[in-house]
């Protein structure tokens, strides 16, 4: 191809020459692909040596082994007892179903992999070839031909001569593009009050009556159900109140020790004082972390901290649930508590500020900035 | 025997002729089979990603036969005793059924999960190799950018994937994603409502994630992987500098049979390793997490490793919230969550262009660079790795705190300070280290290899004997220019100290006859 043809590069051969060997024809193919042989020799100079025979035997037995394990896999898949019945121990063959499938199929694949790789590495000829690399675009001739083709097409359409038509086409196509994505609008939904109103809102979810507290199983909550220093998770006692339908409603009801309750009363933000949010030694905090919304489910009685396991925000239970460590920035909203005539807890209102993670137009009260 | 072989050959020729009549294959097939590939172990890293992707498609299709992407409420009646009678979504129930009720379902689930982890890990390591060797330079910037997109598509494909079962762990991940979405100024609440069809979690998200996970994202991955590998093919692979290797050639072996056999073998190897692992090592035992409930989470719940980096950043970022009451709030999570993720897409995407700008190097490069020869780039890469690793470790800081009895607060503060300081330290150290390695290369080229042989001269001084790489001048110096290729550092690299004979108990080599060997090189005849 190129002029700097060094001597070891073969010249073009005449393919019609009947005396050409297969190798010479092959090498002509390489030459036409810009490839030159630097080094090419059989792995075993003398065919049939001990070493070569040994390699062949190894590869063959790897193939056989692979077949054997594949057969074992299929057999195990079909015949090994597998149905889980709940009481299996490691002695039970059923517990071994998955490991046996993995080992048999895995070994079968590994053995055939080694067979192919050994064949490639130990039996194929030793070779090194060099191929030309044509980097950096087409020849100037090709470019010129392409340019004139594009120009002709542009001219045929008259894109330069008919600017009005081009504008009209764009004006027609742009709305059509919009129309293509418009159906995605079906996804759009007004967030409305989904981030601000929870299941504790009696007006919305309980026909205007205050919402009582319940446990997960539906039992209403009475003060004597929580021991001093203890805590339970409570849900709004409405239809589906404990399900994910009301994912921002779960609340932690804590019965503080007397001296801790005393301290909390002293610390209480004015907005919570105004509504008298505590009931006796009881306080209820939203369980939804104000960072990004995991349940703040760990209560450390000793230090009076609430801990969120997701990113380790910590909140002070005797200071309005204010954040004291970690990435959270806002206190855990308090649920204003009271007890009705029948002795059941109820929420005097929804949370005063929205629980959970923040959003840009989250209504915040001045009290929050005192923190 | 002989005759049958003959007929077979005729058959092949005939079949080939029939095919060529119709598809005109003779030319392209020859070009393809003859194509020369360079060889280096680090060129196989991309392949691992490719093979795990194939495995993901295969196992995923199996899972899709049994999985039901529905949030309809059901009561579990299956054979896993602890959950019997528990209310859950159909999605979770069907995943439990794949694990317990479908023959071989569990190993398929575990294969799918292990393959996804291997996929992401292989992409990361492949990306590092491309970065540190400068393989992303012109003309391969496009392929680098496609690569970055592949990483992020993989990231989201993985995230949507492990959200599907609707178990306790995946629901928590979704909740965090929802909190991050909400934090975007002006758009957040609307985007979240659109994604979840109203308030979190709603009952649409699993179905939506399902179509993303099994159709949209894999299709995009498949298309981009095809273009990616196609470009590697068309632009020809880069090669390491070395004797006879230039910017204008490729030195290696042929596509057929050598390259293809090694690839097929390697693919089966990856398949085998993932299969064996999936039989032996449990992954994501989601029956232990229970169904997702907004009020329940356990500590030590970690996402998959490639998401942990984001989680770590979110943990470390200080509680800085910008507020103009009562009109506007910019939540702290916006910075690491949205801005951080945006930058981790954008900066790597643009890196080839940025480097071009700084080095003013506009040439094409087909020879790779050794990391030591580009200390600034190598330093930058190590810097990013250190940053990333601290992010990942912080994503599991509660686990570390517990395992090593460190206080969580100390872990968090260590992470906060470390993620700012250590990358800078890493950059400096790497830079110095690279210069040191360069220096050593030059020394070997000038004086030769250290042989480890100590001599004592007549005055009693000790010195080490050096083995020059070429015939030295009278002052013992060799004038060798550094070419960007590996410089031998050990005697056995230049052929000294090799075992004289091969074989363990007895020699398995027969003395080769040199002349016969010559003959075959000349003629190329193998038999
Ligand atoms: C889905 C994931 C990916 C797959 C399946 C994949 C596959 C491959 C394969 C098979 C090769 C050829 C062999 C090699 O050099 O390793 C390759 C090369 C390459 N990849 Fe990827 N890759 C993926 C992701 C990435 C990423 C994340 C990047 C970087 C951001 C990247 C950048 C490149 C570049 C620049 C090359 C050309 C390398 C050269 O010619 O030296 N790839 N890829
Ligand atoms: S969600 Fe609670 S700390 Fe992040």
């Amino acid at each position: 191809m190129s002029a700097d043809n060094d001597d070891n590069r073969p010249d073009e051969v005449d393919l019609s020459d009947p005396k050409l060997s297969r190798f010479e024809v092959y090498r002509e193919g390489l030459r036409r692909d810009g490839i030159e042989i630097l080094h090419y020799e059989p792995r075993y100079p003398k065919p049939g040596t001990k070493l070569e025979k040994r390699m062949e035997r190894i590869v063959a037995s790897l193939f056989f082994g692979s077949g054997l394990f594949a057969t074992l896999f299929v057999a195990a898949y079909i015949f090994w007892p597998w149905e889980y019945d709940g009481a299996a121990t490691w002695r039970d063959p059923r517990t071994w179903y998955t490991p046996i499938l993995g080992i048999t199929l895995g070994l079968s694949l590994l053995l055939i992999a080694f067979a192919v790789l050994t064949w490639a590495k130990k039996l194929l000829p030793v070779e090194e070839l060099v191929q030309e690399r044509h980097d950096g675009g087409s020849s100037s001739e090709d470019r010129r031909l392409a340019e004139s083709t594009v120009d002709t097409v542009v001219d045929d359409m008259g894109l330069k001569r008919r600017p009005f038509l081009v504008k009209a086409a764009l004006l027609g196509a742009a709305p059509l593009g919009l129309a293509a994505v418009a159906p995605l609008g079906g996804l759009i939904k007004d967030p409305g009050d989904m981030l601000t109103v929870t299941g504790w809102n009696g007006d919305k979810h309980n026909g205007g009556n205050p919402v009582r507290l319940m446990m997960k199983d539906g039992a209403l909550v009475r003060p004597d159900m929580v021991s001093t220093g203890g805590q339970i998770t409570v849900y709004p006692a409405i239809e589906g109140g404990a399900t994910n339908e009301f994912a921002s409603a779960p609340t932690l009801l804590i019965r503080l020790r007397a001296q801790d309750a005393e301290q909390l009363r002293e610390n209480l933000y004015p907005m919570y004082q105004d509504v008298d949010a505590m009931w006796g030694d009881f306080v209820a905090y939203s369980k939804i972390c104000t960072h990004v919304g995991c349940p703040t489910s760990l209560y450390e009685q000793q230090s009076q901290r609430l801990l969120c396991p997701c990113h380790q925000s910590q909140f002070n239970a005797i200071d309005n649930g204010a954040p004291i460590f970690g990435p959270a920035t806002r206190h855990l909203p308090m649920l204003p508590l009271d007890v009705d005539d029948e002795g059941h807890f109820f929420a005097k209102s929804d949370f005063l500020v929205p629980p959970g993670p923040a959003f840009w137009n989250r209504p915040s009260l001045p009290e929050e900035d005192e923190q | 025997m002989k005759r049958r072989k003959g007929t077979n050959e005729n058959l092949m020729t005939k079949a080939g002729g029939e095919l060529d009549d119709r598809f005109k294959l003779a030319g392209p097939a020859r070009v393809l089979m003859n194509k020369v590939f360079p060889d280096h172990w680090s060129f196989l890293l991309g392949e691992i990603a490719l093979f795990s992707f194939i495995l993901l498609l295969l196992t995923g299709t199996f899972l899709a036969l049994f999985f039901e992407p529905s949030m309809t409420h059901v009561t579990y009646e299956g054979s896993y005793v602890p959950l019997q009678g528990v209310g859950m979504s159909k999605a979770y129930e069907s995943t439990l059924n794949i694990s317990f009720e479908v023959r071989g379902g569990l190993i398929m689930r575990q294969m799918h999960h292990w393959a996804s982890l291997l996929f992401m890990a292989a992409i990361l390591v492949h990306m590092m190799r491309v970065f540190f060797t400068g393989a992303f330079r012109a003309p391969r910037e496009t392929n680098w950018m496609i690569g970055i997109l592949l990483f992020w598509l993989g990231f989201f494909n993985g995230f949507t994937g492990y959200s599907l079962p609707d178990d306790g762990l995946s629901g928590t991940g979704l909740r965090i994603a929802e909190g991050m979405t909400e934090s975007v100024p002006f758009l957040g609440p609307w985007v979240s409502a659109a994604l979840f069809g109203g308030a979190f979690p709603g009952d649409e998200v699993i179905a939506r994630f399902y179509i993303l996970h099994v159709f949209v994202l894999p299709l995009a991955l498949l298309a981009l992987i095809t273009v990616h590998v196609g470009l590697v093919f068309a632009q020809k692979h880069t090669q390491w500098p070395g004797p006879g290797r230039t910017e204008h050639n490729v030195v290696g072996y042929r596509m057929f049979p050598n390259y293809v056999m090694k690839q097929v073998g390697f693919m089966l190897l990856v398949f085998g390793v993932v299969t064996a692992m999936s039989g032996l090592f449990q992954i994501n035992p989601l029956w232990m997490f229970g169904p997702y409930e907004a009020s329940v989470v356990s500590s030590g719940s970690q996402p998959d490793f490639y998401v942990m980096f984001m989680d770590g950043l979110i943990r470390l970022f200080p509680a800085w919230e910008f507020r103009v009451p009562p009109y506007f709030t910019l939540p702290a999570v916006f910075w690491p969550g949205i801005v951080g993720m945006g930058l981790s897409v954008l900066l790597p995407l643009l890196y080839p262009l940025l480097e071009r700008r700084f080095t003013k190097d506009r040439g094409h490069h087909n020879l790779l660079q050794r990391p030591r020869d580009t200390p600034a780039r190598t330093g930058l890469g190590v810097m990013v790795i250190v940053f990333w690793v601290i992010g990942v470790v912080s994503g599991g800081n509660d686990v570390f705190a517990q395992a090593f009895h460190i206080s969580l607060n100390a872990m968090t503060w260590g992470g906060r300070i470390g993620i700012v300081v250590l990358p800078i330290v890493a950059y400096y150290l790497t830079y110095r280290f690279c210069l040191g390695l360069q220096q050593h290369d030059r020394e070997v080229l000038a004086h030769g290899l250290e042989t480890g042989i100590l001599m004592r001269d007549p005055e009693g001084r000790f010195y080490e004997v050096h083995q020059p790489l070429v015939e030295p001048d009278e002052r013992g110096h060799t004038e060798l220019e550094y070419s960007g290729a590996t410089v031998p550092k050990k005697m056995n690299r230049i052929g000294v100290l090799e075992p004289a004979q091969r074989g363990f108990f007895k020699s398995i080599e027969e003395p080769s006859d040199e002349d016969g060997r010559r003959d075959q090189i000349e003629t190329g005849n193998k038999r």
Side-chain angles (χ1 to χ4, degrees), chain B residues 63-74:
Chain B
L63 296 179
L65 298 176
F66 300 96
F67 179 73
E68 286 180 69
S70 151
M71 291 174 94
T72 309
H73 196 83
V74 293

Side-chain angles (χ1 to χ4, degrees), chain B residues 109-297:
Chain B
R109 258 197 61 233
Q110 304 203 130
M111 276 174 79
H112 195 65
H113 206 122
W114 277 120
S116 78
L117 294 176
L118 184 64
F119 177 63
M120 292 308 285
I123 290 184
L124 279 172
V125 185
H126 169 57
M127 185 154 75
M128 288 199 276
R129 113 97 173 86
V130 169
F131 181 85
F132 285 117
T133 60
F136 59 82
R137 293 172 299 165
R140 294 180 182 76
E141 307 98 320
T142 321
N143 231 9
W144 166 267
M145 292 183 188
I146 293 177
I148 297 289
L149 293 182
L150 285 174
F151 172 83
W152 283 104
L153 283 171
F155 179 97
F156 284 110
N157 214 347
F159 180 74
T160 51
Y162 77 70
S163 295
L164 288 181
D166 203 20
D167 60 301
L169 196 59
S170 75
T172 305
L174 261 184
R175 176 77 234 210
I176 295 174
E178 196 271 344
M180 279 163 59
T181 313
E182 247 180 66
S183 77
V184 180
F186 312 116
L187 297 176
W190 286 84
V191 176
S192 170
L195 189 60
F196 293 90
F200 174 86
D203 41 34
E204 318 244 353
V205 67
I206 298 290
R208 286 183 186 166
F209 270 30
Y210 183 65
I211 195 68
L212 289 178
H213 180 76
V214 306
F215 179 70
V216 180
L217 294 171
L219 194 68
L221 275 166
L222 191 63
L224 283 183
I225 289 175
T226 312
V227 177
H228 191 80
V229 176
L231 276 177
V232 174
F233 200 86
Q235 294 184 321
K236 294 210 170 93
H237 205 289
T238 52
Q239 61 187 347
W240 285 101
R245 302 182 181 188
T246 71
E247 293 280 4
H248 304 287
N249 69 12
V250 188
V251 177
Y253 43 68
R254 293 162 299 163
M255 177 111 171
F256 281 77
N258 218 314
Y259 184 76
V260 161
M261 281 187 80
K262 285 183 184 167
Q263 289 300 302
V264 170
F266 194 53
M267 176 173 84
L268 294 167
L269 190 78
V270 170
F271 285 7
V273 169
V274 173
T275 309
M277 272 174 76
S278 308
L280 296 174
F281 306 116
Q282 188 176 67
I283 182 89
N284 201 17
L286 38 65
W287 49 90
M288 295 181 8
F289 309 142
Y292 174 61
E293 290 171 84
S295 58
V296 183
V297 71

Side-chain angles (χ1 to χ4, degrees), chain A residues 23 26 33 35 77-78 97 127 129 131 133 135 189 216 235 244 287 310-312 329-330 360 369, chain B residues 30 34 36 103 186 197 237 248 250 252-254 292-295 311 315 321 325 329 364 366 397:
Chain A
F23 182 73
Y26 174 62
D33 294 335
I35 300 169
Y77 187 84
I78 299 174
Y97 188 64
E127 68 182 50
L129 298 93
Q131 184 168 25
R133 183 201 289 273
D135 190 18
K189 225 172 186 174
K216 187 149 188 235
Y235 306 84
N244 288 342
K287 208 175 167 181
C310 280
H311 313 106
Q312 283 82 45
T329 50
R330 276 159 284 104
W360 69 278
D369 286 304
Chain B
R30 188 201 73 224
N34 283 346
V36 174
R103 191 192 284 251
F186 312 116
H237 205 289
H248 304 287
V250 188
Y253 43 68
R254 293 162 299 163
Y292 174 61
E293 290 171 84
S295 58
D311 205 51
R315 288 179 188 209
E321 186 164 286
T329 305
H364 277 200
N366 299 314
N397 58 5

Side-chain angles (χ1 to χ4, degrees), chain A residues 11 19 50 112 134 197 228 245:
Chain A
D11 290 320
K19 288 203 299 291
K50 227 160 105 191
I112 199 168
H134 302 285
V197 171
T228 307
E245 197 185 334

Side-chain angles (χ1 to χ4, degrees), chain A residues 289 291-294 308 310-313:
Chain A
C289 183
H291 180 222
V292 278
C294 285
C308 175
C310 280
H311 313 106
Q312 283 82 45
S313 287

